[in-house]
């Protein structure tokens, strides 16, 4: 490749990155509310509570703005990681089979993380897995 072709290719790559970043910000403006569907990759997290291992799961998704008040809801881009709280062994077992896969979760109760050091940026306390067609 000649120097001018390399420069053109780099300019095109930078322009593409700029457009992708602008599109990401547009998605972040869409607020996630109770009843909405959150789609992303399901990850398993290691966590302990009172000395016992607790099944903790996280959905990594596109940035979504959360309704106020408080916590880390007012981040510029919105949270990208959402911790799913399991209340029964059946819920944990359901999610264990989906680790590493794309999942769609219908959000029930949603809250912002209260501290920057928490595992996820937002916490989904009630949820259900949406069946894919």
């Amino acid at each position: 490749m000649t120097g001018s072709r390399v420069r053109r290719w780099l300019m095109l790559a930078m322009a593409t990155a700029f457009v992708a970043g602008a599109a990401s910000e547009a998605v972040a403006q869409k607020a996630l509310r109770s009843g909405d569907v959150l789609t992303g990759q399901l990850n398993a997290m290691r966590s302990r509570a009172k000395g016992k291992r607790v099944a903790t799961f996280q959905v990594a998704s596109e940035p979504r703005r959360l309704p106020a008040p408080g916590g880390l809801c007012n981040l510029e881009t919105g949270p990208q990681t959402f911790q799913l709280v399991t209340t029964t062994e059946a819920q944990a077992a359901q999610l264990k089979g989906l680790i590493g896969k794309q999942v769609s979760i219908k959000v029930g109760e949603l809250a912002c993380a209260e501290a920057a050091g928490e595992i996820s940026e937002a916490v989904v306390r009630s949820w259900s897995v949406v069946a894919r067609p």
Side-chain angles (χ1 to χ4, degrees), residues 4 11 21 73 84 105:
S4 63
M11 294 290 273
C73 287
L84 301 178
I105 303 293

Side-chain angles (χ1 to χ4, degrees), residues 103-114:
V103 295
S104 294
I105 303 293
K106 185 174 182 180
V107 174
E109 185 182 340
L110 180 68
C112 297
E114 294 179 10

Side-chain angles (χ1 to χ4, degrees), residues 31-33 64-75 79 110-112:
L32 181 66
R33 301 196 187 289
R64 298 287 297 270
R65 193 168 36 100
L66 299 179
L72 297 175
C73 287
N74 296 324
L75 291 173
L110 180 68
C112 297

